[in-house]
Amino acid sequence: MSGVHHYHYPSREEFQQRIGNVTAPKGLKTAALVAALLGMGLFAFGAATGEQRAWHALHFNWIYLATISSAGVAFAAVQRLVTARWSRPVLRFFEGYVAFLPVAFVLLLLILFPGREAIFTWASREHVEVAEKALYLEPTFFVLRGIVLFGAMTAVMLWFVYRSVRLDVAVLPKFTGAKWAEGLRQKMRAGFGEERRELHSTHSILGKLAVAVCMLFVVGWCFMAWDYSMTLTLHWQQTMYAWIVFMAGWLGMIMSASLLSMWWRNQMKVDDLVTINHFWDLGKLCFAFTAFFGYISFAQYLVVWYGNLPEETHFYNLRLSGVWKPVTQLIPILAFALPFGGLISKAAKVYLPTFVLFAIASLVGTWLHRYIEVYPSIYGVAEHLPFGLYEIGVTLGMLGLWFTCYFAFMDAFPKMRVFMMTAKYRDEVQVPVDPRTMEPLPAHE
């Protein structure tokens, strides 16, 4: 990345003293839990009383947070594939995103079973006339596809993070985290062998898992973007649509993880480990993916505009008219213009208040993007903007649920990749080694 990082880290004993007992503030965890209970309680009340907007609010927030959470693990997998060293101090902040995925899987089951008819017009109110679409949306096939794809993604990502965390738990025998994970930590320590061999065997396993994580993230979200977003209207199909859906999640991930990296840096007082150069690098990634997200979004719009085919233009005509127009126009300002124009300079990346401002603008913009993906397809031409108690309440509930999961994970395991920052042989992974013989692998392997 910036090329100016210095890889000189404290000893494990110092890591234990400095970050071993740091936890998220109790008040913040309580606030997240209260928000989760109130927001999800509101959703449960709406679902029980037949208020379909409760399901719609759950659905677009599920897409928003599920894409971001899975993207966090995919980012960690990419760092493994390129054997990055710059990101070691901050990577656990990304890996913590995996904690929401099991909860997201349960929420997906709610969407697929009791919520399907309230969310998907083709499941209750609209007849599927095209034979191929009717086959693709056959209820059993539709449900199984979602369970298998998101279930496989969740399982592989959990396994990837488990193998990564295991190294740090094993070399910090005095680390004591949240009680709920005590059994997991004991299991991680029990099978840990000679350190150099563990380094290379784990690095090899993580390499294989990283490939699976990245493939499942891209292919899985292509299908899930079609299923849970595009098919909300049966008369819309576009080749760029799936990319826009999961890249919005990727952009939200890099923005939110940058904010969390700043927060954990202050919370743990590790300015010497998470340096301003890390935020320069993260800022460059935020800028780059803002540009890419803007590019693919405009590419889709441009093709639809100059093609001028009614089966395509109706999607934008609806969103650029009536009550939907102000929201649609706000999205490119928040999700593209502000962060792109702001983060183009180095000063805005390394001066954290401006970085925070542009990251928050991007996160709000991509959240509105999810809203405008889902709601116009369900409501069509509306007299009043369906945005009120359920949209705000369920959003706060989902955010509370996400942070509750995230803090539970971060309090249970070491908050940094201590092993890869302190192991004597850590840089041997730059040249792949056979973990059985400890000899460098031939180039073709």
Side-chain angles (χ1 to χ4, degrees):
M1 297 297 290
S2 64
V4 292
H5 293 288
H6 300 287
Y7 305 108
H8 302 293
Y9 301 119
S11 65
R12 290 172 184 171
E13 291 74 18
E14 188 176 346
F15 266 114
Q16 176 66 52
Q17 293 174 358
R18 293 181 62 182
I19 69 173
N21 297 319
V22 176
T23 61
K26 185 176 180 181
L28 195 58
K29 290 186 285 188
T30 301
L33 182 58
V34 170
L37 292 174
L38 291 177
M40 300 315 292
L42 176 65
F43 160 73
F45 173 79
T49 56
E51 177 55 70
Q52 292 190 342
R53 272 178 62 181
W55 288 106
H56 304 157
L58 177 75
H59 186 63
F60 93 87
N61 277 292
W62 180 87
I63 298 174
Y64 180 70
L65 291 174
T67 51
I68 286 176
S69 299
S70 53
V73 186
F75 182 86
V78 170
Q79 299 303 294
R80 160 57 191 92
L81 291 176
V82 300
T83 59
R85 288 179 285 185
W86 74 271
S87 58
R88 287 172 182 172
V90 299
L91 209 51
R92 184 58 40 78
F93 310 150
F94 290 78
E95 291 177 335
Y97 283 38
V98 77
F100 183 71
L101 292 180
V103 176
F105 182 76
V106 174
L107 294 175
L108 176 61
L109 296 180
L110 290 177
I111 291 170
L112 290 176
F113 289 102
R116 187 168 73 243
E117 292 189 359
I119 296 169
F120 301 99
T121 57
W122 53 263
S124 59
R125 306 187 297 276
E126 192 172 0
H127 176 66
V128 184
E129 297 179 354
V130 180
E132 291 81 3
K133 287 187 178 182
L135 179 63
Y136 185 76
L137 296 175
E138 193 277 324
T140 301
F141 184 38
F142 180 82
V143 169
L144 287 177
R145 190 163 62 242
I147 292 174
V148 170
L149 284 172
F150 197 76
M153 185 187 300
T154 299
V156 173
M157 289 184 173
L158 283 169
W159 184 237
F160 176 87
V161 174
Y162 175 89
R163 298 295 305 194
S164 173
V165 169
R166 174 176 171 269
L167 294 174
D168 304 311
V169 171
V171 298
L172 293 177
K174 296 181 181 179
F175 177 82
T176 56
K179 292 183 179 179
W180 71 266
E182 182 57 37
L184 272 176
R185 292 193 296 269
Q186 291 178 359
K187 183 179 179 181
M188 290 171 179
R189 291 175 177 135
F192 196 80
E194 191 270 323
E195 191 169 301
R196 190 182 181 201
R197 196 171 297 276
E198 287 285 355
L199 168 67
H200 288 287
S201 61
T202 301
H203 186 73
S204 177
I205 292 170
L206 287 178
K208 297 179 177 68
L209 289 172
V211 173
V213 165
C214 292
M215 292 181 67
L216 283 168
F217 176 74
V218 174
V219 176
W221 276 113
C222 278
F223 278 92
M224 289 187 287
W226 300 331
D227 287 355
Y228 305 135
S229 186
M230 184 181 287
T231 63
L232 291 171
T233 172
L234 291 175
H235 311 290
W236 166 250
Q237 50 272 331
Q238 240 292 326
T239 54
M240 295 295 295
Y241 191 84
W243 278 79
I244 293 172
V245 169
F246 73 73
M247 284 309 302
W250 187 272
L251 179 60
M253 172 274 299
I254 199 71
M255 291 290 186
S256 60
S258 298
L259 294 176
L260 286 169
S261 297
M262 297 176 200
W263 185 81
W264 281 117
R265 179 186 190 232
N266 291 333
Q267 188 70 17
M268 296 189 293
K269 297 179 174 57
V270 288
D271 296 28
D272 56 325
L273 302 178
V274 181
T275 69
I276 205 67
N277 287 320
H278 287 98
F279 298 115
W280 185 17
D281 288 342
L282 289 169
K284 285 185 282 188
L285 288 171
C286 290
F287 173 77
F289 288 110
T290 296
F292 185 67
F293 178 67
Y295 157 69
I296 58 176
S297 298
F298 183 70
Q300 175 179 270
Y301 176 81
L302 185 64
V303 170
V304 171
W305 176 76
Y306 70 63
N308 199 27
L309 301 175
E311 58 268 30
E312 293 182 342
T313 56
H314 75 90
F315 182 87
Y316 285 105
N317 283 337
L318 175 61
R319 286 159 175 79
L320 288 170
S321 61
V323 298
W324 310 111
K325 184 176 180 180
V327 181
T328 304
Q329 291 177 327
L330 191 58
I331 292 169
I333 297 173
L334 293 174
F336 177 73
L338 282 177
F340 180 85
L343 293 175
I344 198 169
S345 71
K346 176 183 177 181
K349 301 182 185 77
V350 299
Y351 182 60
L352 300 189
T354 55
F355 197 160
V356 169
L357 173 65
F358 296 129
I360 291 175
S362 179
L363 288 167
V364 174
T366 50
W367 180 73
L368 290 175
H369 193 280
R370 294 300 186 220
Y371 174 85
I372 217 69
E373 282 176 15
V374 171
Y375 270 60
S377 295
I378 296 173
Y379 289 89
V381 178
E383 295 183 3
H384 305 286
L385 186 70
F387 190 93
L389 176 63
Y390 280 101
E391 286 70 32
I392 296 172
V394 173
T395 296
L396 291 176
M398 290 284 283
L399 287 174
L401 194 59
W402 192 92
F403 277 105
T404 297
C405 296
Y406 182 76
F407 288 143
F409 175 92
M410 295 300 287
D411 284 354
F413 305 107
K415 295 173 183 61
M416 285 189 169
R417 281 190 160 184
V418 175
F419 183 93
M420 292 303 296
M421 295 162 69
T422 60
K424 180 179 179 181
Y425 307 103
R426 62 185 181 272
D427 288 331
E428 287 186 1
V429 297
Q430 304 302 119
V431 179
V433 172
D434 187 336
R436 295 168 297 181
T437 64
M438 305 306 293
E439 294 295 329
L441 288 169
H444 69 277
E445 295 186 30

